[in-house]
Amino acid sequence: MARDVTDSLAREFGLSAEEYTSVLAIMGRTPTLTELGVFSVMWSEHCSYKSSRVWLKQLPTKAPWVIHGPGENAGVVDIGEGLAAIFKMESHNHPSFIEPYQGAATGVGGILRDVFTMGARPIANLNALRFGDPALPRTRRTIDGVVRGIGGYGNCVGVPTVGGEINFHPSYNGNPLVNAMTVGIAPANRIFLSAAAGVGNPVVYVGSKTGRDGIHGATMASAEFAQDSEEKRPTVQVGDPFVEKLLIEACLELMATDAIVAIQDMGAAGLTSSAVEMAGKGGVGLALDLDAVPQRETGMSAYEMMLSESQERMLIVLRPDRQDVARAIFDKWELDFAVIGHLTDTGRIVVTHRGVVEADIPLAPLADQAPLYHRPTAATPKPAPLGEVADPLGLSEALLRLIGCPDLCSRAWVWDQYDATVGGQTVRRPGAADAAIVKIEGSRRALALTTDCTPRYCQADAEAGGAQAVAEAWRNITATGATPLAITDNMNFGNPEKPEIMGQFAAAIAGMSAACVALDFPVVSGNVSLYNETEGSPIMPTPAIGGLGVLEDAAASVGLALPPGLSLVVIGATAGHLGQSLWLREVAGREAGPPPPVDLAAERRNGDFVRAQILAGQVRACHDASDGGLLVAVAEMALAGTAGARLLPVPNGVAPHAFWFGEDQARYVLAVENAADILAAAAATAVPAALLGVSEAGDLTLPSGDTISLARLRAVHEQTLPSLMGG
């Protein structure tokens, strides 16, 4: 690629006129093509967070158990017994729309590298997926490719995919969301960081060879789609999970030595971002000789090598006297190992290729003078109160419609394509509990893992929706008996240059921050994905939350499967809130009203009570009441278990359809042997609680006496996705 650097080329690379003027001032001359490429990717929205940094600072990131918060490759929390959990969620939205299989697969590969580059062995993958109208052929092709890509990569690399979520809405027709999360375990005193140190130390490239795939992927992810999105296919990376598995083992083996000074994966912006970030964090300079970079294509230019996002590659700063030890390890695993440079005291990154200096850039301005925008915000008007809504169907038909709708139907078609048990430590598989439970090998302890967000709440009220997303993650972890520790987030929004989109972002951050503080649930890592819109049509605001909690004893966890012969108790107050509910959308045909209010004090009080009862052995099954309300929660417990239920009449003052399908927050359905003891304990701590019914063999019997057979309920629940996807 040989092109003259001009103002118009800078715009094509995603730099505004003001940003390019800053580049000229920093360089004191017209940059070379490679230098322009470096600035364009490092100052892209995807890498610099130039629109979001001012808001992200409001999130709470500290707690006694937080070892490393945002700023490293992933967040690190202390989980006891000398161990740390390392976890993060990241997006691969734009690539997954252009090339669903490889976009999703390389999203999994990238987040795995973020975790094992810090010294952790990955033990679990999760994902949060949002698709458009499933009736559209394009949506179905995207679903198929994304699910196969996640399964193909995760299954082959040998890390179980244990949980996640899927939503459908037309706002995602032109821009699906693929958010991938990985969790790993490492010794708490052996965490590897990315800040380079030691002038003269060798800089080593390891892993796969560099090709031309993924060039300008970070820039592509920092712009909205237009009609030419299909033409961006070459910006999507191509992954190889078998090489990733070798890379994991080689890196962990090297980490068992004292050879590593710093290590960083080559993710977005490839060699550019890894080199610039490592040297910049360490306050040193860096000299790179691209002639030494392993290449799988001939005639690659410096520009192409610096911006390639080829997968399964790492950059390592080594101790000079351990270079031979490191080389022997990577030779054993049949991976490329090449010394491509060394650290300097110049504070600059100098890149040479074929004896020519292709880039010579001061490192500090790449970070210190990166754009930081205080973009204008505009508040979204609050929806009008919903008022009374008549019941057009009755409870039986409404439940059948809800349990079979795309947002609530069985996800077995999806998770059956994932290996959820490889490694042998998965205690509760997808669909068995509100959060996945993965045991820590060699210990009684386990982690509880979940992803959560309700975008329709965020669309109606981004602040309430942001708080609810955090609260639901906390609630799902609590419902297993685990203690919630921390979250990672993935902030998926539209074009930040629009005040209404920036207003959604700011409001969601405010709601998330309040919930994190109230629930002692800090943010330790995350990702921002903006410009998620096509031809000016944005997605619903989607601040996806990945939550992590810990159990002292994996055997103490509970799932949601309902056995017969128990009492059903609801914890939390029910007012019958139908605004923005799935019942309102799927049964009444409306998307209206405010989302349910989030009472964070009630979330904390009710959740702490439920967890204490689970750990005291008083609860046989537990499920939080969320999408679809109480009746859907009971039905899901019955479908997961071996019993139906006989439900009691609703209290006076609440319409039956509002009581059973309203989406009031801070609620759990418990299956217990002694309801009187639970109700008394709840009353003693001012926790709202009421008897819902009893579990029994056979059907689901409604308060009216109408019955629904579990066989019919299961058939409706399980047929939707296979029918949509063609078997």
Side-chain angles (χ1 to χ4, degrees):
M1 180 178 182
R3 299 181 65 180
D4 293 333
V5 173
T6 62
D7 291 4
S8 61
L9 184 62
R11 303 301 173 278
E12 188 179 323
F13 279 18
L15 292 169
S16 69
E18 294 79 9
E19 290 167 354
Y20 184 55
T21 298
S22 295
V23 171
L24 293 174
I26 290 167
M27 298 300 294
R29 56 175 170 79
T30 300
T32 66
L33 180 66
T34 301
E35 290 168 339
L36 182 67
V38 169
F39 274 100
S40 71
V41 293
M42 294 308 300
W43 285 8
S44 69
E45 193 74 62
H46 191 74
C47 292
S48 73
Y49 290 6
K50 55 191 174 186
S51 298
S52 59
R53 293 203 310 272
V54 294
W55 300 106
L56 296 174
K57 293 177 181 178
Q58 299 180 13
L59 293 171
T61 61
K62 299 183 184 302
W65 51 89
V66 174
I67 298 173
H68 291 290
E72 285 298 333
N73 285 291
V76 186
V77 294
D78 190 332
I79 56 172
E81 297 183 343
L83 297 175
I86 299 178
F87 68 111
K88 188 181 182 183
M89 189 191 306
E90 279 205 340
S91 61
H92 236 218
N93 304 334
H94 286 58
S96 298
F97 178 62
I98 298 169
E99 181 54 64
Y101 183 95
Q102 289 296 348
T106 53
V108 174
I111 196 63
L112 281 165
R113 289 193 300 279
D114 277 340
V115 167
F116 76 74
T117 194
M118 297 191 71
R121 177 169 292 281
I123 64 165
N125 288 331
L126 298 91
N127 51 77
L129 310 177
R130 322 284 167 181
F131 298 113
D133 181 354
L136 299 177
R138 176 63 190 253
T139 299
R140 294 198 296 273
R141 287 196 299 271
T142 303
I143 295 168
D144 174 65
V146 165
V147 171
R148 285 190 298 107
I150 291 170
Y153 204 100
N155 296 353
C156 292
V157 85
V159 178
T161 301
V162 298
E165 56 174 342
I166 305 176
N167 292 146
F168 298 88
H169 191 273
S171 76
Y172 304 107
N173 281 349
N175 201 125
L177 302 185
V178 176
N179 298 166
M181 176 177 168
T182 292
V183 183
I185 300 294
N189 62 354
R190 290 283 289 171
I191 308 300
F192 289 82
L193 306 179
S194 56
V199 171
N201 280 346
V203 176
V204 177
Y205 171 121
V206 299
S208 288
K209 289 178 168 58
T210 293
R212 290 188 171 95
D213 53 323
I215 293 174
H216 264 299
T219 308
M220 178 269 292
S222 304
E224 63 183 81
F225 281 144
Q227 291 181 338
D228 66 348
S229 60
E230 290 290 343
E231 298 174 12
K232 298 182 179 181
R233 195 176 300 266
T235 63
V236 178
Q237 311 92 328
V238 178
D240 185 335
F242 299 105
V243 173
E244 183 100 339
K245 174 61 174 173
L246 299 178
L247 189 59
I248 291 172
E249 299 305 328
C251 286
L252 293 179
E253 183 174 339
L254 182 62
M255 287 166 173
T257 73
D258 61 351
I260 295 175
V261 175
I263 183 169
Q264 173 81 31
D265 82 293
M266 295 191 214
L271 184 54
T272 290
S273 64
S274 56
V276 168
E277 290 174 7
M278 291 177 78
K281 286 180 181 178
V284 296
L286 184 65
L288 294 180
D289 178 5
L290 299 186
D291 294 347
V293 170
Q295 300 163 54
R296 68 166 183 263
E297 299 185 46
T298 59
M300 290 191 72
S301 67
Y303 167 88
E304 291 172 324
M305 280 186 275
M306 289 300 291
L307 271 68
S308 168
E309 294 184 10
S310 295
Q311 296 293 285
E312 295 90 38
R313 302 179 302 160
M314 309 286 280
L315 200 63
I316 305 174
V317 177
L318 289 175
R319 287 179 50 181
D321 58 339
R322 294 294 185 268
Q323 190 170 308
D324 290 342
V325 171
R327 184 185 297 275
I329 290 172
F330 283 89
D331 285 348
K332 183 183 82 170
W333 291 101
E334 299 182 346
L335 295 167
D336 277 298
F337 178 100
V339 178
I340 65 168
H342 61 274
L343 301 184
T344 69
D345 61 0
T346 64
R348 305 178 72 86
I349 179 169
V350 179
V351 179
T352 59
H353 184 221
R354 298 173 183 163
V356 176
V357 175
E358 297 282 359
D360 185 349
I361 306 172
L363 282 162
L366 279 172
D368 299 345
Q369 296 181 40
L372 178 62
Y373 294 130
H374 296 72
R375 297 197 185 275
T377 62
T380 301
K382 303 287 187 185
L386 190 60
E388 291 189 14
V389 183
D391 180 2
L393 284 186
L395 297 186
S396 297
E397 288 306 311
L399 176 61
L400 289 168
R401 182 174 295 184
L402 282 170
I403 209 70
C405 78
D407 272 12
L408 288 176
C409 69
S410 169
R411 271 68 176 122
W413 181 89
V414 174
W415 70 55
D416 282 351
Q417 298 185 55
Y418 302 156
D419 190 335
T421 60
V422 62
Q425 302 303 307
T426 305
V427 177
R428 297 195 182 274
R429 301 177 53 166
D434 282 358
I437 305 295
V438 181
K439 191 171 177 290
I440 299 168
E441 191 169 4
S443 171
R444 296 172 60 190
R445 289 175 173 253
L447 298 180
L449 310 169
T450 186
T451 65
D452 292 286
C453 184
T454 310
R456 63 183 186 278
Y457 293 174
C458 300
Q459 177 81 354
D461 184 335
E463 184 170 358
Q468 190 274 342
V470 173
E472 186 169 359
W474 190 88
R475 199 186 315 139
N476 280 330
I477 290 169
T478 292
T480 68
T483 300
L485 290 183
I487 68 170
T488 182
D489 61 49
N490 209 138
M491 307 294 289
N492 306 276
F493 289 77
N495 186 340
E497 297 166 44
K498 298 178 179 179
E500 62 272 22
I501 300 296
M502 214 59 236
Q504 292 173 343
F505 189 94
I509 289 286
M512 291 166 56
S513 180
C516 289
V517 170
L519 301 173
D520 283 335
F521 208 27
V523 181
V524 297
S525 61
N527 174 250
V528 176
S529 176
L530 301 177
Y531 293 96
N532 287 290
E533 50 184 272
T534 298
E535 297 183 43
S537 180
I539 63 164
M540 290 195 291
T542 310
I545 304 298
L548 179 144
V550 66
L551 280 151
E552 299 281 340
D553 186 349
S557 69
V558 298
L560 55 86
L562 187 62
L566 301 176
S567 297
L568 297 176
V569 174
V570 58
I571 301 297
T574 298
H577 187 99
L578 289 172
Q580 299 299 327
S581 66
L582 279 181
W583 180 91
L584 189 70
R585 188 181 83 189
E586 299 293 329
V587 176
R590 298 170 59 189
E591 293 184 28
V598 179
D599 183 336
L600 294 170
E603 289 281 3
R604 184 65 185 260
R605 180 188 64 235
N606 297 356
D608 287 348
F609 173 81
V610 167
R611 189 184 313 105
Q613 296 301 314
I614 292 173
L615 296 180
Q618 300 301 306
V619 179
R620 295 278 300 280
C622 179
H623 191 17
D624 87 309
S626 52
D627 282 352
L630 289 174
L631 192 52
V632 166
V634 172
E636 289 174 339
M637 295 174 77
L639 290 172
T642 57
R646 182 176 298 276
L647 301 176
L648 297 173
V650 305
N652 292 329
V654 183
H657 66 290
F659 180 88
W660 288 109
F661 297 119
E663 295 181 5
D664 304 276
Q665 299 295 291
R667 296 184 302 165
Y668 304 78
V669 177
L670 310 183
V672 301
E673 293 180 350
N674 194 326
D677 287 352
I678 295 289
L679 294 172
T685 53
V687 169
L691 189 64
L692 275 185
V694 295
S695 65
E696 57 185 21
D699 301 332
L700 180 61
T701 303
L702 302 178
S704 63
D706 294 340
T707 62
I708 306 173
S709 74
L710 288 189
R712 184 183 182 198
L713 203 62
R714 182 168 283 108
V716 170
H717 187 56
E718 293 179 353
Q719 72 183 7
T720 303
L721 279 182
S723 295
L724 281 169
M725 300 306 296

